[in-house]
PDB file of all heavy atoms in Angstrom:
ATOM      1  N   THR L  49      56.648  36.875  16.571  1.00 97.00           N
ATOM      2  CA  THR L  49      56.901  35.459  16.280  1.00 97.00           C
ATOM      3  C   THR L  49      56.059  35.010  15.085  1.00 97.00           C
ATOM      4  O   THR L  49      56.170  33.844  14.685  1.00 97.00           O
ATOM      5  CB  THR L  49      56.578  34.555  17.445  1.00 97.00           C
ATOM      6  OG1 THR L  49      55.265  34.886  17.967  1.00 97.00           O
ATOM      7  CG2 THR L  49      57.567  34.805  18.579  1.00 97.00           C
ATOM      8  N   ASP L  52      54.513  38.049   9.590  1.00 98.00           N
ATOM      9  CA  ASP L  52      54.941  39.448   9.320  1.00 98.00           C
ATOM     10  C   ASP L  52      55.957  39.953  10.289  1.00 98.00           C
ATOM     11  O   ASP L  52      56.920  40.714   9.912  1.00 98.00           O
ATOM     12  CB  ASP L  52      53.742  40.329   9.408  1.00 98.00           C
ATOM     13  CG  ASP L  52      52.728  39.999   8.218  1.00 98.00           C
ATOM     14  OD1 ASP L  52      52.958  39.054   7.437  1.00 98.00           O
ATOM     15  OD2 ASP L  52      51.777  40.801   8.083  1.00 98.00           O
ATOM     16  N   ARG L  72      54.554  36.444  23.874  1.00 95.00           N
ATOM     17  CA  ARG L  72      53.590  35.876  24.909  1.00 95.00           C
ATOM     18  C   ARG L  72      54.131  34.501  25.462  1.00 95.00           C
ATOM     19  O   ARG L  72      54.677  33.813  24.700  1.00 95.00           O
ATOM     20  CB  ARG L  72      52.230  35.730  24.393  1.00 95.00           C
ATOM     21  CG  ARG L  72      51.999  34.812  23.291  1.00 95.00           C
ATOM     22  CD  ARG L  72      50.531  34.529  23.090  1.00 95.00           C
ATOM     23  NE  ARG L  72      50.353  33.910  21.771  1.00 95.00           N
ATOM     24  CZ  ARG L  72      49.218  33.253  21.483  1.00 95.00           C
ATOM     25  NH1 ARG L  72      48.245  33.312  22.302  1.00 95.00           N
ATOM     26  NH2 ARG L  72      49.023  32.740  20.338  1.00 95.00           N
ATOM     27  N   ASN L  99      51.476  40.383  26.873  1.00 98.00           N
ATOM     28  CA  ASN L  99      50.367  39.773  26.168  1.00 98.00           C
ATOM     29  C   ASN L  99      49.447  41.039  25.771  1.00 98.00           C
ATOM     30  O   ASN L  99      49.246  41.875  26.583  1.00 98.00           O
ATOM     31  CB  ASN L  99      49.616  38.779  27.042  1.00 98.00           C
ATOM     32  CG  ASN L  99      48.635  37.999  26.283  1.00 98.00           C
ATOM     33  OD1 ASN L  99      47.639  38.489  25.723  1.00 98.00           O
ATOM     34  ND2 ASN L  99      48.861  36.687  26.277  1.00 98.00           N
ATOM     35  N   SER L 125      44.697  35.467  14.331  1.00 98.00           N
ATOM     36  CA  SER L 125      44.575  36.020  12.911  1.00 98.00           C
ATOM     37  C   SER L 125      43.914  34.989  11.960  1.00 98.00           C
ATOM     38  O   SER L 125      43.827  35.290  10.834  1.00 98.00           O
ATOM     39  CB  SER L 125      46.083  36.221  12.437  1.00 98.00           C
ATOM     40  OG  SER L 125      46.718  34.932  12.367  1.00 98.00           O
ATOM     41  N   TYR L 190      36.396  37.533  13.335  1.00 98.00           N
ATOM     42  CA  TYR L 190      37.748  38.148  13.095  1.00 98.00           C
ATOM     43  C   TYR L 190      37.640  39.425  12.433  1.00 98.00           C
ATOM     44  O   TYR L 190      38.270  40.478  12.841  1.00 98.00           O
ATOM     45  CB  TYR L 190      38.621  37.127  12.217  1.00 98.00           C
ATOM     46  CG  TYR L 190      39.793  37.759  11.694  1.00 98.00           C
ATOM     47  CD1 TYR L 190      41.046  37.918  12.440  1.00 98.00           C
ATOM     48  CD2 TYR L 190      39.975  38.241  10.373  1.00 98.00           C
ATOM     49  CE1 TYR L 190      42.222  38.424  11.918  1.00 98.00           C
ATOM     50  CE2 TYR L 190      41.106  38.767   9.852  1.00 98.00           C
ATOM     51  CZ  TYR L 190      42.187  38.950  10.636  1.00 98.00           C
ATOM     52  OH  TYR L 190      43.355  39.514  10.089  1.00 98.00           O
ATOM     53  N   LYS L 194      38.658  43.173  13.730  1.00 99.00           N
ATOM     54  CA  LYS L 194      39.661  43.973  13.106  1.00 99.00           C
ATOM     55  C   LYS L 194      39.046  45.350  12.746  1.00 99.00           C
ATOM     56  O   LYS L 194      39.768  46.384  12.776  1.00 99.00           O
ATOM     57  CB  LYS L 194      40.096  43.266  11.859  1.00 99.00           C
ATOM     58  CG  LYS L 194      41.173  42.206  11.927  1.00 99.00           C
ATOM     59  CD  LYS L 194      42.552  42.872  12.259  1.00 99.00           C
ATOM     60  CE  LYS L 194      43.650  41.931  12.421  1.00 99.00           C
ATOM     61  NZ  LYS L 194      44.877  42.394  12.925  1.00 99.00           N
TER      62      LYS L 194
HETATM   63  P1  LIG P 143      50.415  35.361  12.496  1.00 72.68           P
HETATM   64  O1  LIG P 143      49.213  34.534  12.906  1.00 72.68           O
HETATM   65  O2  LIG P 143      51.538  34.706  11.786  1.00 72.68           O
HETATM   66  O3  LIG P 143      51.064  35.983  13.780  1.00 72.68           O
HETATM   67  C1  LIG P 143      50.270  36.416  14.890  1.00 72.68           C
HETATM   68  C2  LIG P 143      51.108  36.856  16.000  1.00 72.68           C
HETATM   69  O4  LIG P 143      50.360  37.379  17.079  1.00 72.68           O
HETATM   70  C3  LIG P 143      51.991  35.745  16.579  1.00 72.68           C
HETATM   71  O5  LIG P 143      53.231  36.234  16.898  1.00 72.68           O
HETATM   72  C4  LIG P 143      51.205  35.339  17.892  1.00 72.68           C
HETATM   73  O6  LIG P 143      52.172  34.856  18.813  1.00 72.68           O
HETATM   74  C5  LIG P 143      50.767  36.811  18.287  1.00 72.68           C
HETATM   75  N1  LIG P 143      49.721  36.756  19.273  1.00 72.68           N
HETATM   76  C6  LIG P 143      48.512  36.140  19.235  1.00 72.68           C
HETATM   77  N2  LIG P 143      47.815  36.360  20.345  1.00 72.68           N
HETATM   78  C7  LIG P 143      48.576  37.132  21.102  1.00 72.68           C
HETATM   79  C8  LIG P 143      48.380  37.764  22.431  1.00 72.68           C
HETATM   80  N3  LIG P 143      47.233  37.537  23.076  1.00 72.68           N
HETATM   81  N4  LIG P 143      49.348  38.545  22.871  1.00 72.68           N
HETATM   82  C9  LIG P 143      50.396  38.798  22.208  1.00 72.68           C
HETATM   83  N5  LIG P 143      50.734  38.238  21.000  1.00 72.68           N
HETATM   84  C10 LIG P 143      49.804  37.390  20.438  1.00 72.68           C
HETATM   85  O7  LIG P 143      49.880  36.532  11.679  1.00 72.68           O
HETATM   86  P2  LIG P 143      50.633  37.287  10.347  1.00 72.68           P
HETATM   87  O8  LIG P 143      51.927  37.527  10.640  1.00 72.68           O
HETATM   88  O9  LIG P 143      50.194  36.669   9.110  1.00 72.68           O
HETATM   89  O10 LIG P 143      49.769  38.663  10.377  1.00 72.68           O
HETATM   90  C11 LIG P 143      50.193  39.808  11.111  1.00 72.68           C
HETATM   91  C12 LIG P 143      49.021  40.656  11.398  1.00 72.68           C
HETATM   92  O11 LIG P 143      48.477  41.157  10.241  1.00 72.68           O
HETATM   93  C13 LIG P 143      47.835  39.983  12.115  1.00 72.68           C
HETATM   94  O12 LIG P 143      47.325  40.938  12.969  1.00 72.68           O
HETATM   95  C14 LIG P 143      46.856  39.623  11.107  1.00 72.68           C
HETATM   96  O13 LIG P 143      45.592  39.516  11.564  1.00 72.68           O
HETATM   97  C15 LIG P 143      47.126  40.794  10.171  1.00 72.68           C
HETATM   98  N6  LIG P 143      46.746  40.556   8.750  1.00 72.68           N
HETATM   99  C16 LIG P 143      47.419  39.527   8.109  1.00 72.68           C
HETATM  100  C17 LIG P 143      47.198  39.281   6.805  1.00 72.68           C
HETATM  101  C18 LIG P 143      47.904  38.195   6.023  1.00 72.68           C
HETATM  102  O14 LIG P 143      47.500  37.902   4.921  1.00 72.68           O
HETATM  103  N7  LIG P 143      48.963  37.584   6.644  1.00 72.68           N
HETATM  104  C19 LIG P 143      46.331  40.182   5.959  1.00 72.68           C
HETATM  105  C20 LIG P 143      45.792  41.246   6.728  1.00 72.68           C
HETATM  106  C21 LIG P 143      46.054  41.465   8.061  1.00 72.68           C
HETATM  107  P3  LIG P 143      52.400  33.308  18.955  1.00 72.68           P
HETATM  108  O15 LIG P 143      53.532  33.013  18.026  1.00 72.68           O
HETATM  109  O16 LIG P 143      52.753  33.042  20.384  1.00 72.68           O
HETATM  110  O17 LIG P 143      51.143  32.597  18.570  1.00 72.68           O
END
Side-chain angles (χ1 to χ4, degrees):
T49 52
D52 291 6
R72 64 168 168 166
N99 195 299
S125 69
Y190 166 80
K194 277 286 182 191

